[in-house]
C-alpha cells in the first residue's frame, strides 16, 4: 500500500514540483510517496498528479495527516547519541524541559522528520514542553530539527555560522534544510538576532496557511 506524506525542504528544492511555501520562511512543503514496506520514496511530480487526476490541493489534503502531532517524537540530544528510547511529542509532562537543554524532534522513521515545521499545532506542543518559551529551531537536516529556548542562545550569528559549516561539510545537498536558524513563537520565521525575528512576509506567490489536520 502506498503512503503519501508531507516533507519540508528548502524552497530552492521545490520549484519544479507541486509545493506550498511556509509563510515567513524560505521553506516549502512537498509531498512524497513510498510503500509501507519500503523506506525509499520519491517526490510527487506534476506528471504524477496528472496520472492520478488530482489537483495540488487534493494531493496536500491526502498528505496532511502525516504531520499530526502524534507522528513526532522529542528526545534530549544526549539520548539520541546514546540510542535511548523515544518519547512521544504528545506525552504529558509534569515539568518543563530544563534550560540549556537541546532536544531533537523527528518522526518514528527518522526520515523527513523536519515536516513538523509544516504544522504550527504540532510545534505548539513542542513549545508547551518548554514552558511556552520562544524557541530557536536549528535545521539539523530535512530529517530532524533541534530545539532550544531562544533565551539560551545569546549569539545567533555564531549559531548561524555553525549551521552553515555543518551543512557544507557534513550534509548532502538534498538533506540541507537551511543555512540559518528559525524562531518559533506561535509561527515560524527566520531569526536574525536574539531579540528580533523576521515577521512573515506576504509574498505574491501562492501560499497556504498550514494547520493541524
Amino acid at each position: 500500500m502506498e503512503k503519501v506524506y508531507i516533507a519540508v525542504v528548502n524552497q530552492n528544492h521545490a520549484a519544479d514540483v507541486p509545493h506550498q511555501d511556509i509563510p515567513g520562511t524560505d521553506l516549502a512543503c512537498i509531498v512524497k510517496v513510498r510503500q509501507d514496506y519500503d523506506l525509499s520514496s520519491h517526490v510527487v511530480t506534476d506528471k504524477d498528479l496528472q496520472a492520478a487526476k488530482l489537483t495540488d490541493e487534493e494531493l496536500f489534503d491526502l498528505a496532511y495527516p502525516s504531520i499530526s502531532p502524534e507522528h513526532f517524537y522529542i528526545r534530549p540530544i544526549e539520548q539520541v547519541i546514546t540510542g535511548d528510547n523515544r518519547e512521544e511529542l504528545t506525552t504529558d509532562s509534569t515539568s518543563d524541559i530544563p534550560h540549556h537543554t537541546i532536544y531533537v524532534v523527528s518522526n518514528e522513521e527518522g526520515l523527513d522528520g523536519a515536516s513538523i515545521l509544516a504544522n504550527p499545532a504540532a510545534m505548539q506542543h513542542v513549545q508547551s514542553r518548554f514552558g511556552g518559551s520562544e524557541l530557536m529551531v536549528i535545521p539539523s537536516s530535512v530529517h530532524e530539527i533541534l530545539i532550544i529556548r531562544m533565551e539560551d542562545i545569546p549569539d545567533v550569528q555564531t549559531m548561524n555560522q555553525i549551521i552553515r559549516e555543518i551543512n557544507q561539510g557534513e550534509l548532502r545537498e538534498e538533506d540541507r534544510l537551511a543555512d540559518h536558524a528559525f524562531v518559533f513563537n506561535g509561527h515560524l520565521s527566520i531569526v536574525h538576532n536574539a531579540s528580533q525575528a523576521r515577521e512573515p512576509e506576504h509574498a505574491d506567490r501562492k501560499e497556504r496557511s498550514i494547520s493541524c489536520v
Side-chain angles (χ1 to χ4, degrees):
M1 179 178 179
E2 287 189 333
K3 173 183 178 181
V4 293
Y5 64 94
I6 297 290
V8 168
V9 298
N10 193 278
Q11 288 177 358
N12 292 331
H13 297 158
D16 298 326
V17 298
H19 67 277
Q20 294 177 345
D21 294 336
I22 298 179
T25 77
D26 51 0
L27 305 178
C29 299
I30 60 174
V31 175
K32 291 187 175 183
V33 60
R34 67 175 173 84
Q35 298 291 336
D36 283 342
Y37 54 82
D38 186 359
L39 292 181
S40 63
S41 64
H42 76 268
V43 178
V44 176
T45 65
D46 289 325
K47 185 177 180 180
D48 294 328
L49 275 186
Q50 293 171 4
K53 297 182 179 179
L54 291 173
T55 65
D56 284 22
E57 185 174 358
E58 290 170 337
L59 172 68
F60 280 90
D61 284 343
L62 287 173
Y64 275 129
S66 69
I67 56 173
S68 296
E70 62 267 20
H71 291 293
F72 297 97
Y73 295 82
I74 180 169
R75 292 176 291 168
I77 195 168
E78 294 83 2
Q79 286 188 11
V80 175
I81 294 171
T82 59
D84 287 354
N85 291 333
R86 295 179 296 268
E87 179 182 357
E88 282 192 60
L89 179 61
T90 52
T91 299
D92 291 334
S93 178
T94 57
S95 60
D96 295 340
I97 288 172
H99 279 265
H100 302 285
T101 303
I102 298 178
Y103 268 64
V104 179
V105 179
S106 188
N107 51 23
E108 184 175 7
E109 297 88 357
L111 297 173
D112 294 305
S115 57
I116 191 173
L117 298 177
N119 188 343
M123 285 297 297
Q124 287 164 9
H125 276 281
V126 176
Q127 190 172 26
S128 68
R129 298 296 301 278
F130 285 82
S133 297
E134 185 177 54
L135 301 179
M136 172 177 279
V137 177
I138 302 169
S140 180
S141 73
V142 297
H143 302 301
E144 65 181 26
I145 59 172
L146 306 181
I147 300 289
I148 190 170
R149 284 180 175 85
M150 193 69 189
E151 61 198 88
D152 293 338
I153 302 291
D155 190 347
V156 174
Q157 288 185 339
T158 297
M159 177 58 69
N160 284 341
Q161 179 62 32
I162 292 171
I163 292 170
R164 287 191 294 270
E165 290 175 357
I166 292 175
N167 280 347
Q168 294 169 10
E170 300 184 19
L171 291 182
R172 299 179 302 173
E173 175 66 27
E174 59 267 30
D175 290 335
R176 298 176 190 174
L177 193 57
D179 281 335
H180 51 77
F182 298 88
V183 61
F184 184 83
N185 195 9
H187 67 267
L188 188 70
S189 58
I190 297 172
V191 65
H192 294 293
N193 56 56
S195 61
Q196 181 180 11
R198 190 182 73 175
E199 290 299 319
E201 296 175 356
H202 299 287
D204 291 335
R205 60 176 176 265
K206 175 185 173 184
E207 294 183 340
R208 171 176 177 169
S209 297
I210 300 171
S211 60
C212 181
V213 179

